[in-house]
Amino acid sequence: MQFEGEHLLPGKIGHFFVLLAFAAAITSTIGYFIASRKTDIQEKKTWLRFARISFLTETVSIFIIFAVIFYICKNHLFEYMYAYKHASKELEAKYLLACIWEGQEGSFLLWTIWHSLLGVLIIWKEKEWEAPVMTVLNIAQFFLLLMLLGLYFGEIRIGSSPFTLTRNEINGPVFSRPDYLSYIKDGVGLNVLLRNYWMVIHPPVLFLGFASTIIPFGFAFGSLLTKRFGDWVKPALPWTLFSLCVLGVGIMMGGKWAYESLSFGGYWAWDPVENASLVPWMILVAGLHTMLIYKATERSLKASYVFVFLTLGFVLYSTFLTRTGVLGDTSVHAFTEKDEIMKLLLKLFMAAFTITPFVLLIRNNKKIHSLQTEEKINSREFWMFIGAIVFFLSALFIIAKTSVPVYNKIFNTNIAPAEDVEFSYNKIMVLVALIIGLLTAVTQYFKYKSTPQNYTLKKIALPTLITAGIAVLLAFFYPLTFYKHGPGFLGALYAALVAAVYAVVANATYIWTGLKGNIKSAGGSITHLGFALMLAGMIISSANKKIISDNSVTGINVPFGKDDKGNQAENPLENLTLLRDLPTRMLNYKLTYTGDSAGHEEGRQFYKIKMVSNDSAEQFELTPDIYLGKNELKSSNPSTKRYLTKDIYTYISSINPVRNQNDTTQFNIKEIGPGDTAYYNNGYLILNGVTKNINNNAAVLDGAVITADITVVSKDGKRFQSSPAIKLDSLNGLYIDDTLYAQNMFLRFSGVAENQKIKIGVKESSTFIDFITLKAYEFPYINLVWLGLVIMAVGLLVSMVKRSKISATLAAAILIALSVAMVYMFFVAGA
């Protein structure tokens, strides 16, 4: 059968290059593996040349695949299932890339793109280690491209091709018609939760972080293959620092997205997918510190192997959790498709990169250099190793709790999550923050191998005294107010905050006293300072976060439904009801809901909230928006007013469900003259006068226009101006009604009466004409979180540049460019 209007050529081109890239990944793997085993220089060069050509073919093919998918989605070729599921005609162009990596296939392709670019850098910079590292990288490419094959072997489909046709994927009589495309008016489109600035840049950065973890892994694995134990640490260090920087920023970009797009009131909720991405980062932090220990003292080499291998292992485990439907019911981030073959491929991918390296590590255990003497307790490496172990155990705790759905599935159990999920994590992690804060402050004041008696105490005395002073000031002038879980937890929060402040002060002091202000050598201290500042910001902004939308001022409580657990979804007293055009007090502001407007996408609605400070010195507008589906609120996107020391964070929690329904209330006609008064249920109105031929409304064209100038006075003394009008022509009159939302009332100029009086129609609606409920938080000092992140990332980059083989000028340019980019992203672009 010939199907009308289909564009099959792009799909054929895309599928051809998937097959070509897959074949090239296999040949490149073989070439690099053989090259890594060759000792003859000429033979090695021959195999390297073959492997590079294969890898270049693979890389070019991958970029062509991406270009074809982009073309299909941009041109709305809905004959392709990928475009039908993820693109739509009403989707704004700026979200086109987000719709590409929304799907499984697109995100796997994004991963392969980053591997390709990283591979090019390895070929360029790491000649000595190219063969073993690229062997590992190409094996990973083999598995990722296997996910995109979409080849059938009998009834079994291997992988999921982004070029499958919609008519082959959806069963329905319409898809057997030659003209089925005429029935597809639009695609499903991007998930409304993902239509945000951060979802354009967060996934690429996060996946670059994921992809980059294979480089330290490749160095470590390659050293086991080539029996060069220990030699891998030095060349792997800059890549490890790069990976930590990118992955850390990518994770917190996800937090910024949650803060700006989700309405749970924060940036971190211990969501399973958030946890799964955090765990590899924490383990790599542990690995970085053991690698630094080995470089300085030749200790902790085996631990470095373990941590680097586990980092990639948990990256793959997090991929398995998010892409197999295991977390579909517990996370807003997870994919819900349950493809058993895909699940098997991911298991094989995970097994290849977890079992194989540890088998090699065990086989070579006795050959790996290891010092037999114990570290001294007064040495830097001892406390660095303690910190690494704390990070590692914390990561195991997080992933153990996150994996409960996996346990339930494997062992057929029904372990329920904690009633307060966030507190079940926080009560442990606050102690971790305390320990890490103290270690981050003190450890750098020790020397490697051994520290002279009293040396550390003398050096640390000044930052200790400064911190003690700050702690006293905080307790008296800015106490933490999180009393929900009792004095014990509040005390732990105080201790963790003081430890974080201690780390900030101690690291800043060390830069100037220990390193004499030498920024090039201060990468570690800058990183620790940023991390500690981020911790302090997290503790303060979470502990002193408060709900400021107190609804007791209105007395209008809107009932909310039940959540998934049967509890009330929202507390009506914490959600401020705003009647349109009626100013309402909230904290130090007067809020007025002034109206709404439709967004570009179907179902998107923006609400205008005018905020004026009580002293009238400040005025601004917030525009939280929602997505509506079948007249119900599907999702709510916050709007935030940013200050240096706080954020005012607002979102729409409900709208008037009967707003667009017909109102059967009739107009009550009142005859009044200039200066006369007429009463209505909630007050009275005064006719000030009547004017003619005033173009009162853009809808008015030609003809005489008569407008009534009316003052409405409510029972509470509030005064409102109203101007209902009537346009006269030779046939009839056109009513131009005026709506007083604050009084729930319509006014109509109904005609002219006798004795110089006019007829005014008054309709008081039996239901609220227009209202919304708004939930608002105040997040104090939340900018410390984002500032700490930027400083931490800069510190990691400084350390990376110092250990890289690049010129000082280029290094400075890279640092400045990336620093400016991060400041722009976190403090400007999302505003």
Side-chain angles (χ1 to χ4, degrees):
M1 181 185 294
Q2 186 70 34
F3 292 94
E4 299 173 6
E6 287 188 334
H7 302 77
L8 299 182
L9 182 59
K12 291 178 180 179
I13 293 172
H15 192 61
F16 168 77
F17 280 103
V18 169
L19 296 174
L20 180 60
F22 180 69
I26 295 173
T27 56
S28 185
T29 302
I30 294 170
Y32 274 122
F33 178 76
I34 295 174
S36 69
R37 312 295 289 180
K38 292 294 182 182
T39 54
D40 182 80
I41 300 299
Q42 195 58 44
E43 284 188 72
K44 189 182 186 74
K45 285 183 177 179
T46 302
W47 281 106
L48 279 175
R49 190 179 304 111
F50 169 77
R52 287 170 184 167
I53 292 171
S54 296
F55 183 73
L56 179 61
T57 303
E58 174 192 334
T59 299
V60 172
S61 299
I62 286 169
F63 276 93
I64 292 173
I65 296 164
F66 182 83
V68 173
I69 294 177
F70 183 88
Y71 175 83
I72 286 172
C73 291
K74 184 178 186 297
N75 291 280
H76 308 123
L77 303 185
F78 297 134
E79 55 265 46
Y80 294 99
M81 189 66 183
Y82 202 80
Y84 177 71
K85 283 175 66 176
H86 304 294
S88 59
K89 294 175 182 177
E90 47 85 28
L91 187 68
E92 293 183 76
K94 62 184 178 181
Y95 298 132
L96 180 60
L97 290 175
C99 86
I100 293 175
W101 43 68
E102 178 193 27
Q104 296 239 33
E105 300 87 345
S107 56
F108 282 132
L109 181 63
L110 181 61
W111 201 337
T112 65
I113 288 172
W114 286 129
H115 273 171
S116 298
L117 294 176
L118 291 169
V120 171
L121 289 176
I122 290 292
I123 293 171
W124 177 40
K125 298 293 292 183
E126 303 291 350
K127 304 294 185 184
E128 188 179 354
W129 287 89
E130 177 189 347
V133 173
M134 290 299 292
T135 300
V136 172
L137 188 144
N138 275 289
I139 293 172
Q141 292 287 76
F142 164 82
F143 280 104
L144 290 169
L145 289 164
L146 189 61
M147 313 287 183
L148 303 179
L149 277 185
L151 292 180
Y152 280 89
F153 295 91
E155 296 295 318
I156 298 174
R157 184 174 70 179
I158 305 297
S160 177
S161 171
F163 305 109
T164 55
L165 297 174
T166 305
R167 58 180 162 84
N168 293 335
E169 296 296 312
I170 302 177
N171 292 322
V174 70
F175 293 102
S176 61
R177 296 173 58 99
D179 60 345
Y180 79 94
L181 279 175
S182 64
Y183 292 90
I184 302 178
K185 304 302 181 183
D186 204 355
V188 175
L190 183 67
N191 186 319
V192 295
L193 293 175
L194 307 181
R195 299 184 187 191
N196 178 273
Y197 156 81
W198 288 101
M199 290 314 293
V200 178
I201 58 174
H202 158 57
V205 175
L206 185 68
F207 273 90
L208 175 57
F210 284 158
S212 63
T213 60
I214 202 168
I215 306 300
F217 179 100
F219 278 105
F221 189 84
S223 74
L224 295 177
L225 284 177
T226 58
K227 311 300 181 185
R228 299 173 62 189
F229 314 114
D231 292 352
W232 65 277
V233 172
K234 184 177 179 180
L237 265 173
W239 291 99
T240 305
L241 290 159
F242 172 79
S243 187
L244 272 174
C245 175
V246 175
L247 186 54
V249 171
I251 291 168
M252 289 308 294
M253 278 182 170
K256 201 75 160 73
W257 163 71
Y259 183 63
E260 294 189 3
S261 274
L262 303 182
S263 54
F264 65 78
Y267 46 84
W268 195 267
W270 295 110
D271 178 275
V273 174
E274 293 172 349
N275 298 348
S277 61
L278 176 64
V279 165
W281 184 84
M282 295 179 71
I283 295 176
L284 192 57
V285 169
L288 170 66
H289 286 82
T290 54
M291 290 164 70
L292 291 171
I293 291 171
Y294 176 76
K295 188 171 178 291
T297 67
E298 296 192 346
R299 296 182 183 275
S300 301
L301 180 57
K302 292 179 182 178
S304 299
Y305 275 112
V306 170
F307 291 146
V308 167
F309 289 158
L310 286 179
T311 296
L312 182 58
F314 277 108
V315 165
L316 299 178
Y317 180 62
S318 72
T319 304
F320 174 79
L321 288 179
T322 56
R323 294 170 191 281
T324 56
V326 175
L327 299 179
D329 298 329
T330 58
S331 173
V332 298
H333 306 70
F335 293 89
T336 55
E337 296 96 334
K338 297 182 180 180
D339 185 333
E340 293 301 320
I341 300 299
M342 183 70 75
K343 189 182 293 186
L344 176 62
L345 294 177
L346 285 168
K347 287 179 180 178
L348 291 173
F349 192 6
M350 195 163 45
F353 281 85
T354 50
I355 296 173
T356 308
F358 280 103
V359 167
L360 268 179
L361 183 61
I362 292 168
R363 286 179 58 185
N364 290 283
N365 179 53
K366 294 181 179 179
K367 301 175 186 176
I368 297 173
H369 176 72
S370 177
L371 294 178
Q372 300 302 314
T373 57
E374 294 291 331
E375 301 99 327
K376 293 181 180 179
I377 197 171
N378 65 342
S379 66
R380 181 182 293 189
E381 64 268 25
F382 176 84
W383 295 107
M384 286 177 65
F385 189 76
I386 294 296
I389 293 299
V390 170
F391 258 99
F392 178 59
L393 293 178
S394 303
L396 292 184
F397 162 74
I398 293 169
I399 202 65
K401 284 183 65 66
T402 303
S403 299
V404 166
V406 179
Y407 310 149
N408 286 339
K409 193 170 185 65
I410 293 174
F411 301 108
N412 198 27
T413 55
N414 191 26
I415 303 172
E419 187 173 342
D420 187 338
V421 174
E422 287 190 38
F423 181 61
S424 69
Y425 285 96
N426 289 339
K427 65 185 180 183
I428 302 298
M429 297 310 293
V430 70
L431 301 177
V432 173
L434 169 61
I435 296 169
I436 293 299
L438 293 174
L439 290 174
T440 303
V442 174
T443 300
Q444 63 201 325
Y445 287 93
F446 287 92
K447 293 181 178 293
Y448 282 112
K449 299 182 180 179
S450 182
T451 307
Q453 193 173 7
N454 296 326
Y455 174 86
T456 302
L457 291 176
K458 290 178 182 178
K459 294 288 185 180
I460 205 70
L462 178 60
T464 303
L465 289 173
I466 294 172
T467 303
I470 294 173
V472 171
L473 292 174
L474 282 173
F476 279 98
F477 296 104
Y478 193 72
L480 299 181
T481 57
F482 191 77
Y483 305 110
K484 181 179 178 181
H485 297 294
F489 187 67
L490 181 61
L493 285 175
Y494 265 114
L497 177 58
V498 171
V501 171
Y502 192 24
V504 171
V505 174
N507 280 278
T509 304
Y510 187 78
I511 292 171
W512 298 112
T513 60
L515 298 174
K516 309 301 181 186
N518 184 357
I519 299 299
K520 292 180 181 179
S521 301
S525 296
I526 295 171
T527 302
H528 294 152
L529 189 155
F531 180 73
L533 191 64
M534 187 167 63
L535 277 182
M538 288 177 173
I539 293 168
I540 294 172
S541 63
S542 299
N544 284 2
K545 174 182 75 173
K546 61 182 178 181
I547 298 170
I548 58 176
S549 46
D550 178 11
N551 198 40
S552 61
V553 299
T554 70
I556 306 172
N557 290 339
V558 176
F560 291 88
K562 303 290 185 181
D563 61 17
D564 295 337
K565 298 178 182 178
N567 301 318
Q568 191 172 32
E570 292 278 3
N571 182 351
L573 294 177
E574 296 177 350
N575 292 264
L576 187 64
T577 303
L578 298 177
L579 303 181
R580 184 163 173 174
D581 293 338
L582 180 64
T584 306
R585 181 173 56 82
M586 184 185 81
L587 201 62
N588 299 320
Y589 301 93
K590 284 184 180 177
L591 278 65
T592 307
Y593 161 40
T594 60
D596 56 54
S597 60
H600 293 288
E601 301 107 319
E602 182 181 354
R604 191 172 193 180
Q605 202 78 10
F606 289 85
Y607 291 83
K608 301 173 184 176
I609 314 294
K610 180 182 176 182
M611 297 186 70
V612 181
S613 61
N614 288 340
D615 59 4
S616 300
E618 182 185 20
Q619 178 176 317
F620 56 91
E621 185 177 75
L622 294 176
T623 54
D625 67 278
I626 64 169
Y627 280 92
L628 288 171
K630 297 180 181 179
N631 210 33
E632 293 182 355
L633 194 154
K634 290 177 65 177
S635 73
S636 185
N637 295 322
S639 181
T640 304
K641 173 63 177 176
R642 295 199 175 100
Y643 296 91
L644 183 64
T645 59
K646 66 181 179 182
D647 277 4
I648 302 294
Y649 171 101
T650 64
Y651 69 89
I652 305 297
S653 51
S654 75
I655 60 173
N656 185 358
V658 296
R659 173 184 173 188
N660 296 320
Q661 295 181 11
N662 291 329
D663 188 353
T664 58
T665 306
Q666 300 298 312
F667 280 96
N668 181 17
I669 305 298
K670 300 179 184 294
E671 295 185 5
I672 56 176
D676 289 348
T677 298
Y679 289 88
Y680 68 102
N681 288 336
N682 196 40
Y684 62 92
L685 50 91
I686 304 168
L687 177 62
N688 301 315
V690 177
T691 58
K692 298 179 181 179
N693 292 327
I694 293 180
N695 191 1
N696 182 65
N697 189 294
V700 178
L701 301 175
D702 298 321
V705 178
I706 305 175
T707 304
D709 179 12
I710 297 173
T711 299
V712 179
V713 184
S714 64
K715 288 180 179 179
D716 57 6
K718 290 188 174 76
R719 302 174 76 88
F720 308 91
Q721 292 303 123
S722 179
S723 302
I726 185 171
K727 176 192 171 187
L728 303 177
D729 58 28
S730 58
L731 297 176
N732 49 34
L734 172 65
Y735 299 120
I736 306 171
D737 297 340
D738 198 2
T739 305
L740 290 180
Y741 291 101
Q743 291 296 291
N744 221 37
M745 181 171 67
F746 300 89
L747 293 180
R748 170 175 291 179
F749 195 141
S750 297
V752 179
E754 297 178 350
N755 302 321
Q756 295 185 335
K757 293 186 177 183
I758 63 172
K759 296 177 182 180
I760 294 296
V762 179
K763 182 168 75 171
E764 298 178 75
S765 180
S766 57
T767 59
F768 289 120
I769 300 171
D770 194 5
F771 73 85
I772 58 172
T773 63
L774 184 83
K775 192 160 190 177
Y777 294 87
E778 183 180 278
F779 282 93
Y781 296 99
I782 192 170
N783 281 332
L784 292 179
V785 176
W786 317 124
L787 180 62
L789 172 68
V790 171
I791 293 173
M792 182 185 75
V794 168
L796 288 167
L797 290 173
V798 169
S799 295
M800 180 196 78
V801 166
K802 183 186 176 184
R803 291 171 169 82
S804 301
K805 303 169 186 176
I806 57 178
S807 68
T809 304
L810 179 59
I814 291 172
L815 282 172
I816 292 170
L818 292 176
S819 300
V820 170
M822 285 186 288
V823 170
Y824 176 79
M825 286 189 297
F826 283 96
F827 293 99
V828 180

